[in-house]
Amino acid sequence: MDAQTYLKKFSRIVRWKLPKSEADEVLADYQEMLAQCSDETTQAFGQPAQAARLLSEPKMYYRWLAIFGLLAFCLLLSEFFLLRASFAQYPTVQMYLLLLVGLAGSLLWFRPQPGENRKSSLPKGLGPMLLGLLALAVMVAGLLAGLAQGVWQALPAGLYGRAANGALLLMGTAAAVFGLFGLVHARLSDRRWCALYILGFTVLVECVLVHALLVNMSLDTSLTGWWVPYGVHFGIVGMVGLLATGRSLC
């Protein structure tokens, strides 16, 4: 294995196993050592996975795996609720709890560290992905609003429910994928990728709440202002999610 290939594989494993500050120091040392080695002498370092395992502290690594599992579980459980679309009651409490755990856990784990060099520019690709996710959410919201107001007259009335269901499933699943992608990259490259996890999770929770509203068979729409309590829930979730997204970028 040549030095460049070795360092590439070693870098991915070390960044997953070690906190960013420690991983940067280790990679700087290995890059300097490997620059002086021939392709044959890289064997003395052992396999990349083995070398990274010797450098990692098991307790810290298992703690990270526990946090990753918790944050991913909150995201995937919300996606399960969306796909299952079966609710005994409106899931306000459940979704609020999941959102609270996911946002609080990610903000605490990926918080700025003392002495961290604050960079003004965002990691490459993060800005476009955040804007793309927001744009997709706005498009889906516009589609749902149009269906509710009967704007799409060319669409048969019997397809309104299918169109709304399909849009929510597409949006929620895309948000879950974006969120998981951001969570992994927050560990591997820059903690600010956590913003993509938070925004994706927020959009997914909104999709679950809207979907639960649409499939609620006991919903009474004859009352004036029946939608206000639900609108409040959507607004609270959106506001909290946007504030947490902005905080994670600092």
Side-chain angles (χ1 to χ4, degrees):
M1 184 185 303
D2 62 83
Q4 185 176 1
T5 302
Y6 185 97
L7 187 62
K8 185 177 181 180
K9 293 183 177 181
F10 181 72
S11 175
R12 288 198 296 263
I13 300 172
V14 165
R15 290 195 181 280
W16 181 255
K17 285 182 170 291
L18 296 177
K20 187 179 186 305
S21 58
E22 296 181 22
D24 288 342
E25 293 178 4
V26 168
L27 290 174
D29 292 339
Y30 265 72
Q31 189 171 12
E32 182 178 351
M33 290 186 294
L34 288 171
Q36 304 172 1
C37 296
S38 64
D39 294 348
E40 290 77 12
T41 57
T42 58
Q43 298 178 2
F45 291 92
Q47 293 298 315
Q50 181 183 10
R53 189 182 308 114
L54 294 175
L55 293 169
S56 63
E57 184 179 347
K59 288 185 178 180
M60 287 296 296
Y61 179 56
Y62 293 147
R63 188 180 303 172
W64 154 243
L65 288 182
I67 292 295
F68 176 79
L70 176 63
L71 298 180
F73 172 77
C74 292
L75 192 69
L76 296 178
L77 182 59
S78 301
E79 174 68 7
F80 172 75
F81 286 155
L82 179 66
L83 296 176
R84 186 166 177 259
S86 178
F87 304 94
Q89 58 184 4
Y90 196 66
T92 305
V93 176
Q94 298 95 312
M95 300 315 301
Y96 274 25
L97 286 175
L98 285 176
L99 186 67
L100 177 62
V101 172
L103 268 56
S106 58
L107 286 174
L108 287 173
W109 185 264
F110 295 109
R111 66 187 182 276
Q113 299 300 315
E116 177 182 332
N117 183 21
R118 303 290 182 89
K119 301 177 181 179
S120 58
S121 60
L122 293 179
K124 184 179 179 180
L126 176 56
M129 294 190 76
L130 289 172
L131 293 176
L133 183 57
L134 279 174
L136 184 58
V138 170
M139 290 173 57
V140 171
L143 173 64
L144 295 176
L147 291 173
Q149 298 298 323
V151 173
W152 315 105
Q153 296 181 0
L155 188 66
L159 293 181
Y160 274 36
R162 293 181 182 179
N165 179 69
L168 287 170
L169 291 180
L170 175 63
M171 180 71 259
T173 302
V177 172
F178 273 59
L180 195 58
F181 181 86
L183 180 60
V184 172
H185 271 63
R187 176 68 174 189
L188 294 181
S189 57
D190 192 307
R191 64 169 182 80
R192 289 174 295 177
W193 277 98
C194 171
L196 188 60
Y197 168 82
I198 292 174
L199 184 61
F201 195 9
T202 301
V203 172
L204 175 57
V205 169
E206 295 274 31
C207 289
V208 174
L209 293 175
V210 174
H211 205 213
L213 177 62
L214 295 179
V215 300
N216 191 343
M217 301 301 294
S218 61
L219 182 64
D220 184 5
T221 60
S222 62
L223 300 175
T224 303
W226 63 270
W227 54 271
V228 172
Y230 301 101
V232 170
H233 293 316
F234 303 152
I236 291 175
V237 169
M239 184 61 66
V240 170
L242 289 175
L243 288 175
T245 300
R247 180 67 183 87
S248 65
L249 293 173
C250 297

